[in-house]
Amino acid sequence: GAVVSQHPSRVICKSGTSVKIECRSLDFQATTMFWYRQFPKQSLMLMATSNEGSKATYEQGVEKDKFLINHASLTLSTLTVTSAHPEDSSFYICSARAPLGLGETQYFGPGTRLLVL
Amino acid sequence: QKEVEQDPGPLSVPEGAIVSLNCTYSNSAFQYFMWYRQYSRKGPELLMYTYSSGNKEDGRFTAQVDKSSKYISLFIRDSQPSDSATYLCAMKSGTGGGADGLTFGKGTHLIIQP
């Protein structure tokens, strides 16, 4: 099956600092990765679509200068939350679109819990 | 009206019962339908993936899609306490390009009582 990892699994930071979250597809190449955010008892909300070698596509209402996305290779996408504030505290989950042979659906990482103090 | 509606529950059933989980949606462009299971503080795990209308069975799980009614279901037979989790339906309109992001339901919290 397709495995997606995320690092770190949990991070606590002070308000105003920047936090980088890594998303890796371990056993397949993903030209497209996605970043979601999930608040407690809420559904996953798509933040942006990350395409290898090109700029990310952000959903309406998501600040691209605050949530920097880099998809440097076919197995790695990073999300950097710049100048984090307490309202950015959430569960961030990435997914990678599997190739046709694996059903061309999305496989999710285990998530990163961010707490901004 | 939200694009995808899903009853958040909790839904509590005794062990061994058949569980029925459902979602309705409003966007007729959706063609791909998925069910994910999410344990607390974990990422979603893909359970079922179906395209267009019809049924699909995998072990104890059966997914049904009725595009004419914009209604999808997940059935779990012989439910186990380990099935206790939040079940999220998800759907998308096409493959590739900007339509690839999934639209999720809120998730139904399922509790299987031993």
Side-chain angles (χ1 to χ4, degrees), chain A residues 38 43 97 103-106 110, chain B residues 34 36 38 49 95 100 104-105:
Chain A
Q38 186 178 34
S43 186
R97 181 157 63 93
E104 212 190 286
T105 186
Q106 293 181 29
Chain B
M34 285 135 275
Y36 287 86
Q38 186 177 25
Y49 173 79
T95 59
D100 224 12
F104 281 87

Side-chain angles (χ1 to χ4, degrees), chain A residues 10 32 34 36 38 41-46 49 59 91 93 97 102-111 113, chain B residues 2 34 36 38 40-46 49 88 92 94-98 100-107:
Chain A
R10 183 180 300 183
T32 304
F34 305 88
Y36 294 83
Q38 186 178 34
K41 299 188 185 297
Q42 298 295 315
S43 186
L44 282 80
M45 297 300 294
L46 178 65
T49 301
E59 295 299 299
F91 192 47
I93 309 176
R97 181 157 63 93
L102 292 175
E104 212 190 286
T105 186
Q106 293 181 29
Y107 291 87
F108 285 82
R113 191 160 298 279
Chain B
K2 293 182 180 176
M34 285 135 275
Y36 287 86
Q38 186 177 25
S40 181
R41 299 175 180 266
K42 301 290 184 183
E45 171 194 6
L46 179 66
Y49 173 79
L88 299 145
K92 64 175 183 174
T95 59
D100 224 12
L102 295 175
T103 300
F104 281 87
K106 266 194 171 183

Side-chain angles (χ1 to χ4, degrees), chain B residues 14-35:
Chain B
E15 182 176 356
I18 296 175
V19 175
S20 173
L21 304 167
N22 311 292
C23 287
T24 59
Y25 62 95
S26 57
N27 187 347
S28 58
F30 288 139
Q31 299 183 63
Y32 299 84
F33 304 91
M34 285 135 275
W35 285 95

